[in-house]
């Protein structure tokens, strides 16, 4: 009976071995997904300004879905940072896979729209897809590593402080680069005030293009 209990406990112990670094990567990527999901929702809502027609309802659904996905990603990132390991990894990787398929479909629809002059590449969705695929890759790597690693080899292993800091630094830079590209392509990013634009124009001079667009958009109700 004791040998059986020991054998049953092996996969559980190995499944969490080395998971600290994997959970750190997933948590940082989830923060980027939350930011991009919010930006995608804002772009969809801005596009609905004054729009009418029976086809508008799906855009509202997409906007609410993007906002909900952003909230879920932020909550999962917080929980992952707090616990130090991946929570409900099986459910999480399936949810991320579904979201990645939806965003891939959105990118393909934009690239294959009719007429041809209406085609575009949604960089916000592309950045979201990159982060979601990275989360799937990290979770899959961690799962396969847990299956390959024996209980004796993984027992008691903890990453060093240098490994944690180095991983956080590298992953943060990569995620920030991808997220910045996606945010800049969103409506919120296009209307953002650049740091060099503060105080760069005279009181009677012309406004920057993004502020001029924001100013005129406020007159349409």
């Amino acid at each position: 009976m004791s040998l059986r209990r020991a054998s049953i406990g092996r996969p559980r112990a190995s499944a969490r071995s080395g998971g600290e670094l994997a959970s750190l990567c997933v948590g940082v990527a989830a923060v980027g997904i939350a930011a991009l999901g919010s930006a995608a929702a804002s772009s969809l809502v801005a596009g609905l300004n004054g729009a009418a027609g029976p086809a508008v309802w799906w855009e509202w659904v997409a906007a609410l879905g993007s906002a909900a996905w952003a909230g879920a990603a932020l909550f999962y990132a917080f929980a992952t940072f707090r616990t130090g390991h991946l929570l409900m990894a099986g459910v999480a990787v399936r949810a991320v896979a579904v979201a990645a398929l939806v965003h891939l479909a959105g990118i393909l629809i934009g690239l294959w729209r009719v007429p041809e002059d209406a085609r575009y590449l949604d960089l916000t969705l592309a950045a979201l897809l990159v982060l979601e695929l990275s989360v799937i890759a990290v979770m899959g790597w961690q799962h396969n590593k847990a299956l390959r690693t024996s209980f004796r080899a993984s027992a008691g292993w903890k990453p060093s402080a240098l490994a944690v800091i180095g991983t956080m630094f590298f992953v943060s830079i990569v995620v920030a680069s991808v997220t910045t590209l996606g945010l800049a392509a969103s409506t919120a990013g296009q209307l953002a005030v650049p740091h060099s634009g503060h105080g760069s124009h005279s009181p009677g001079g012309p406004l920057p293009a993004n502020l001029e667009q924001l100013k005129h958009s406020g007159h349409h109700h």
Side-chain angles (χ1 to χ4, degrees), residues 33 69 93-105 125 128-129 132 136:
I33 290 174
W69 178 237
V93 74
R94 288 179 178 85
V96 175
V98 171
L101 289 175
V102 172
H103 294 145
L104 177 60
L125 292 185
L128 260 172
L129 182 61
E132 288 162 351
I136 295 174

Side-chain angles (χ1 to χ4, degrees), residues 29-212:
V31 174
I33 290 174
L36 290 172
S38 301
S42 69
S43 297
L44 289 169
V45 172
L48 292 173
N49 185 20
V56 177
W57 67 270
W58 73 267
E59 296 188 6
W60 279 108
V61 173
L64 294 175
S66 296
W69 178 237
L74 188 61
F75 176 79
Y76 191 81
F78 174 78
T80 300
F81 289 143
R82 190 175 187 278
T83 59
H85 65 274
L86 299 174
L87 299 174
M88 298 184 296
V91 177
V93 74
R94 288 179 178 85
V96 175
V98 171
L101 289 175
V102 172
H103 294 145
L104 177 60
I107 294 173
L108 295 179
I109 290 173
L111 292 175
W112 292 344
R113 292 184 66 178
V114 177
E116 186 175 353
D117 55 359
R119 297 175 183 176
Y120 67 98
L121 173 61
D122 194 328
L123 292 179
T124 303
L125 292 185
L128 260 172
L129 182 61
V130 169
L131 293 185
E132 288 162 351
L133 292 179
S134 68
V135 168
I136 295 174
V138 171
M139 285 186 166
W141 173 82
Q142 176 61 23
H143 177 70
N144 293 332
K145 178 185 176 183
L147 294 179
R148 294 192 305 265
T149 306
S150 65
F151 173 75
R152 180 174 300 178
S154 64
W157 184 85
K158 292 289 183 181
S160 63
L162 182 61
V164 173
I165 295 174
T167 301
M168 178 175 288
F169 178 77
F170 175 76
V171 174
S172 298
I173 290 180
V174 173
V175 172
S177 301
V178 176
T179 304
T180 300
L181 179 63
L183 291 177
S186 66
T187 301
Q190 293 173 1
L191 296 180
V193 181
H195 292 290
S196 58
H198 290 287
S200 60
H201 58 280
S202 60
L207 292 172
N210 53 0
L211 290 182
E212 191 70 31

